[in-house]
Amino acid sequence: MSWRTWRTWGTWRALIASLALLIGLTAAGASPAFAGLDGPVANYIDQHCGIDTIGSGKTTIAVPVDRVTLNLEAVGHSPADSKITAVYTIPGTSKYGTLFGQFDPVKGNATFNYTVDNPPAGATLSISYEVAWTDGTYYSATRTRPLLTCTRDDTTGVDSGYGGAESRATVFQQCTSVGTWPYSVRAVDVTVHLSHDRYPADYAGQQVWADYWIPGKKGYTSGVSGTADSVGDAWVTFRLVAPPTGAELDILSSVRSIYGRTYPVHTWVPISC
């Protein structure tokens, strides 16, 4: 799945107009935004401080960033044939980002990543999203929370890191190589252990997925899928070939429960090989 960020004011104004129209229709007594929806769209939001390097050679600049991740789950409605618009804004500033996507038809979720450069201290993060299905069903909501204050001296903070469904993820890395010398290439095998401290029977025998993203690259790459054992534990491994040494690796696992819900488990680790 690929995401495109639109940063033109024309697109931004059009989006504001469409959201305003939607709110106006609801307030006027027309069909509410959740009309026909069998259940809500579950949302999970977290933030992570990091550093991006801008420029090249001797003119590089280290910029503190807040990496905002929005995970949405279709609940009570088939995830197929969906369209999602997700927007973040920081009231009082010109910072914003718009992403478009759709629910994964198998996992039933969708993930959006935003990078906020030089996040202003004491600011508020606002995320609005709208989901529309081809059968005419749609749902919209806005969520707000404090924006992380990320600086060059604080690059490891995580706020509201979601680990839904009482899930925990532990990450292990094994350095290796692919190919034959002198043409071998450095690689790392990443193993994710997913476990449940409470209600493990709710996840026994259910599917899990581990997707990954390296900042500066494209969106999430599908890493690997697996099945939890009788106590709800799962071990899955994927390989990164020639990864940037020391870069942060964003691992987003999806855990299915026996009730049909898919919960996210978000983990950030530095690449050690």
Side-chain angles (χ1 to χ4, degrees):
M1 184 182 303
S2 61
W3 315 105
R4 296 184 56 193
T5 301
W6 298 87
R7 295 186 178 273
T8 64
W9 281 108
T11 301
W12 178 229
R13 292 192 185 101
L15 182 61
I16 291 176
S18 65
L19 290 176
L21 176 62
L22 176 63
I23 294 172
L25 288 174
T26 302
S31 298
F34 54 84
L37 193 65
D38 298 322
V41 172
N43 67 89
Y44 307 87
I45 301 171
D46 77 356
Q47 303 175 64
H48 177 82
C49 288
I51 291 289
D52 277 354
T53 301
I54 299 177
S56 60
K58 297 182 179 180
T59 59
T60 59
I61 300 175
V63 178
V65 298
D66 184 1
R67 305 195 195 284
V68 179
T69 302
L70 168 68
N71 183 277
L72 299 177
E73 177 198 4
V75 182
H77 191 289
S78 170
D81 301 319
S82 60
K83 293 184 179 180
I84 305 172
T85 301
V87 183
Y88 92 80
T89 59
I90 301 175
T93 76
S94 60
K95 295 180 181 293
Y96 73 93
T98 306
L99 295 173
F100 304 94
Q102 60 188 22
F103 289 117
D104 184 289
V106 176
K107 302 174 190 174
N109 61 10
T111 305
F112 303 85
N113 279 346
Y114 306 97
T115 296
V116 182
D117 298 340
N118 294 305
T124 297
L125 171 69
S126 177
I127 294 183
S128 298
Y129 55 88
E130 180 178 287
V131 184
W133 282 269
T134 55
D135 66 2
T137 302
Y138 61 92
Y139 177 83
S140 66
T142 297
R143 300 289 179 259
T144 60
R145 62 200 58 215
L147 184 72
L148 276 188
T149 302
C150 303
T151 67
R152 290 183 178 86
D153 299 322
D154 180 10
T155 61
T156 59
V158 179
D159 179 39
S160 301
Y162 46 74
E166 308 292 342
S167 302
R168 291 189 300 111
T170 307
V171 181
F172 305 89
Q173 300 181 61
Q174 177 66 50
C175 299
T176 185
S177 62
V178 295
T180 304
W181 190 88
Y183 305 107
S184 58
V185 179
R186 176 178 53 85
V188 55
D189 288 333
V190 180
T191 298
V192 181
H193 176 214
L194 295 163
S195 60
H196 299 88
D197 297 328
R198 299 178 61 189
Y199 314 116
D202 289 352
Y203 310 97
Q206 300 300 303
Q207 282 187 284
V208 301
W209 298 266
D211 303 326
Y212 65 89
W213 174 62
I214 299 173
K217 306 293 183 181
K218 292 183 178 181
Y220 282 99
T221 297
S222 179
V224 66
S225 62
T227 303
D229 60 19
S230 60
V231 295
D233 278 19
W235 296 79
V236 292
T237 300
F238 58 88
R239 174 169 291 179
L240 301 176
V241 178
T245 303
E248 282 198 298
L249 176 64
D250 173 1
I251 301 174
L252 183 63
S253 304
S254 298
V255 181
R256 180 70 52 83
S257 78
I258 61 175
Y259 304 106
R261 297 288 304 276
T262 302
Y263 300 98
V265 186
H266 203 179
T267 310
W268 286 90
V269 295
I271 298 174
S272 61
C273 301

